[in-house]
Amino acid sequence: MALEDELKARTLALVSQQMANWVVEIQKRIVEHQANLVGALDELQENVARYDEKIDEGSIGSAIDEVIAANPVAAAAAPAASEAGPGIAVLLSAMAEVDTGANLTEVLTSLVNESAKQVDRVAMFIIKGTNAVGWYAKGFDLNDAVKQIQIPLAGDTIFKTVQADRAPVLFDPNTAGQTAQALQRMGALGSSAIAAPMVLRDKLAAVLYCDTTGGMSDPQAAFIDALVRFAAKTTDLLSFVPRTPGARPAAPVVLPGASSGHTAAAPAARMVPPPAPSDGGGTVMFTPGQVAAMHQAATAPPPAPAPPPPPPAPKADGAGTVMFTASQMDQMRQQMSQMKPAAAPAAPAMSPEETKAHEDAKRFARLIVSEIKLYNEAKVTEGRKAKDLHSRLKEDIERGRQMYHDRISPGLRNNTNYFHDELVRLLAGGDPSALGPM
């Protein structure tokens, strides 16, 4: 065998062996990193599951004793007041139900349903442009009539006050002038009412109207205000951590003695929401259920790569030296070129600034398309069936596209399709053909 041929054969054999060793090393590191991730998720899941142990009940009890000692008169009247409205256990149960919403529609539906358990009548109004548009109501003589109500925010109504103050307002609906005239289209009203604003990213998104016949107590008003604020935070969170429909977060923890005579019932099965709003973006929190899902995804073993077919048996020269023919070496080179690490990165890692820019772009696209869907539910439903969403909503889509174009940098905008992706996901329900010609 010529020296040149022997050198080539030995060189290729060494390269082949080194590449095989490299692949094994990469796979080993992937397994190690995966094991570390699983361990971290296990620890996080355990910490989340035991978060109630971190509550210092002693300091809470001491603070309550100090307040009672400093206000003996108010403390004496407290038992009677506590019976006039829902306790903390009821509020936590209602929050847990609202938190099951996977999108803005489900969150608002649960908000109305849970509020209706504490008052006589509830109506949700969505802010669209310069008007408060009726969306969903419970407890009225004519609940469906809410969809025909459209109240100008500039008019002399309680909605104008809520928009200006961004705070809940207690009032008598029967003496509220233009407010009463509009709401009475749904039937008789109670003697005391509250209008609570739902603010998303410093923008008034909706107003929840609740009234009672026997008078709105302070605990009832506080319950409505707290639940509306929680619903707003839940909606903000959904834009950061989308939730699979039907997934229920963990039940809340009720401090001993905090129920004021009420028992926190298990959240009821989700009601079918009425047609309307969709997804909404705050602080990212993971419930135990979300951590469990992350853990399950991380522990799933990656698919094993198909082993390459073995090369033809090499020849030996009788002295222990393995020799390969030219055709065998070509086949080995071809096989090695096709071998890839089991989980090779799809793209180079981005810097923290680049990652934040991409996340901001995705969130802004999601927000724009969510609002298009929120204000055009009927057109969206019809457009999906007829597969002509773009032509039906062309003006809104192009206006949103221009907003996205003005906000996102050209380099990021031209190398991604985040706005179009949200059109397909939110408007078209995942079916690109439903958009129609564009």
Side-chain angles (χ1 to χ4, degrees):
M1 182 178 184
L3 177 62
E4 181 179 356
D5 292 337
E6 182 177 358
L7 288 174
K8 288 182 179 180
R10 293 293 297 274
T11 300
L12 289 173
L14 289 173
V15 170
S16 174
Q17 183 61 44
Q18 290 174 4
M19 291 184 68
N21 293 339
W22 175 72
V23 171
V24 172
E25 180 65 23
I26 290 296
Q27 292 175 333
K28 179 180 177 181
R29 292 185 180 182
I30 291 173
V31 172
E32 292 176 354
H33 287 307
Q34 188 178 50
N36 293 335
L37 176 60
V38 171
L41 289 174
D42 285 338
E43 182 180 358
L44 178 60
Q45 183 178 15
E46 181 178 355
N47 289 336
V48 172
R50 298 173 57 189
Y51 68 95
D52 56 313
E53 298 178 3
K54 300 183 180 298
I55 297 176
D56 187 352
E57 298 181 15
S59 62
I60 294 175
S62 299
I64 293 175
D65 292 339
E66 291 177 5
V67 173
I68 292 176
N71 299 274
V73 176
S82 65
E83 296 180 0
I88 186 64
V90 177
L91 176 60
L92 290 175
S93 177
M95 286 180 171
E97 184 62 30
V98 169
D99 196 31
T100 62
N103 51 52
L104 185 54
T105 298
E106 295 184 2
V107 170
L108 295 186
T109 301
S110 296
L111 174 59
V112 172
N113 292 336
E114 294 301 313
S115 299
K117 295 177 182 178
Q118 307 303 326
V119 296
D120 296 326
R121 285 163 288 272
V122 183
M124 174 62 72
F125 291 84
I126 305 298
I127 304 304
K128 183 175 182 181
T130 59
N131 298 299
V133 180
W135 176 62
Y136 182 37
K138 294 196 70 174
F140 290 89
D141 298 330
L142 301 171
N143 289 323
D144 289 341
V146 70
K147 299 177 182 179
Q148 309 302 322
I149 298 177
Q150 184 167 307
I151 303 175
L153 295 177
D156 184 18
T157 68
I158 203 67
F159 292 89
K160 178 180 180 180
T161 304
V162 171
Q163 183 192 37
D165 298 341
R166 303 294 178 88
V169 178
L170 287 169
F171 66 104
D172 182 350
N174 295 292
T175 60
Q178 296 181 14
T179 304
Q181 295 176 11
L183 298 180
Q184 284 172 349
R185 296 174 61 180
M186 295 182 287
L189 305 177
S191 59
S192 180
I194 182 174
M198 183 174 181
V199 179
L200 300 177
R201 303 176 202 86
D202 297 325
K203 177 182 177 181
L204 182 63
V207 175
L208 184 69
Y209 168 88
C210 304
D211 75 29
T212 63
T213 301
M216 181 79 63
S217 67
D218 288 342
Q220 283 176 311
F223 176 94
I224 298 300
D225 182 29
L227 198 58
V228 171
R229 292 176 185 270
F230 180 77
K233 296 302 181 183
T234 299
T235 303
D236 276 341
L237 178 60
L238 288 176
S239 68
F240 288 92
V241 187
R243 182 180 299 146
T244 302
R248 302 182 68 88
V253 175
V254 180
L255 298 179
S259 63
S260 300
H262 296 279
T263 301
R270 181 182 296 112
M271 300 181 64
V272 177
S278 182
D279 300 329
T283 301
V284 178
M285 301 180 294
F286 295 99
T287 66
Q290 290 171 323
V291 174
M294 294 164 61
H295 176 270
Q296 182 178 3
T299 54
K315 299 179 180 179
D317 60 0
T321 302
V322 178
M323 297 180 295
F324 297 85
T325 65
S327 61
Q328 289 174 332
M329 293 306 304
D330 289 339
Q331 183 177 358
M332 290 173 60
R333 281 195 296 270
Q334 182 177 4
Q335 292 173 356
M336 294 306 299
S337 66
Q338 295 174 350
M339 294 179 64
K340 297 180 180 179
M350 294 185 292
S351 67
E353 293 78 11
E354 291 174 325
T355 300
K356 183 178 184 302
H358 278 266
E359 292 301 321
D360 288 344
K362 293 178 183 178
R363 189 158 48 248
F364 189 56
R366 187 182 308 128
L367 173 62
I368 293 174
V369 179
S370 294
E371 292 191 353
I372 294 175
K373 185 174 186 291
L374 174 63
Y375 298 135
N376 297 278
E377 279 292 336
K379 291 183 179 180
V380 170
T381 301
E382 296 168 358
R384 286 181 179 179
K385 294 179 181 178
K387 297 189 180 299
D388 61 355
L389 279 169
H390 184 265
S391 61
R392 289 176 186 266
L393 298 171
K394 183 176 181 179
E395 182 178 348
D396 291 322
I397 290 175
E398 294 309 318
R399 185 187 303 115
R401 194 189 306 277
Q402 185 61 46
M403 292 172 58
Y404 182 81
H405 183 280
D406 294 341
R407 171 81 170 266
I408 306 304
S409 64
L412 178 57
R413 187 179 66 238
N414 295 333
N415 290 289
T416 59
N417 296 304
Y418 296 143
F419 184 78
H420 181 78
D421 292 344
E422 292 302 325
L423 289 178
V424 173
R425 187 177 72 87
L426 292 178
L427 281 192
D431 179 11
S433 66
L435 291 174
M438 299 185 65

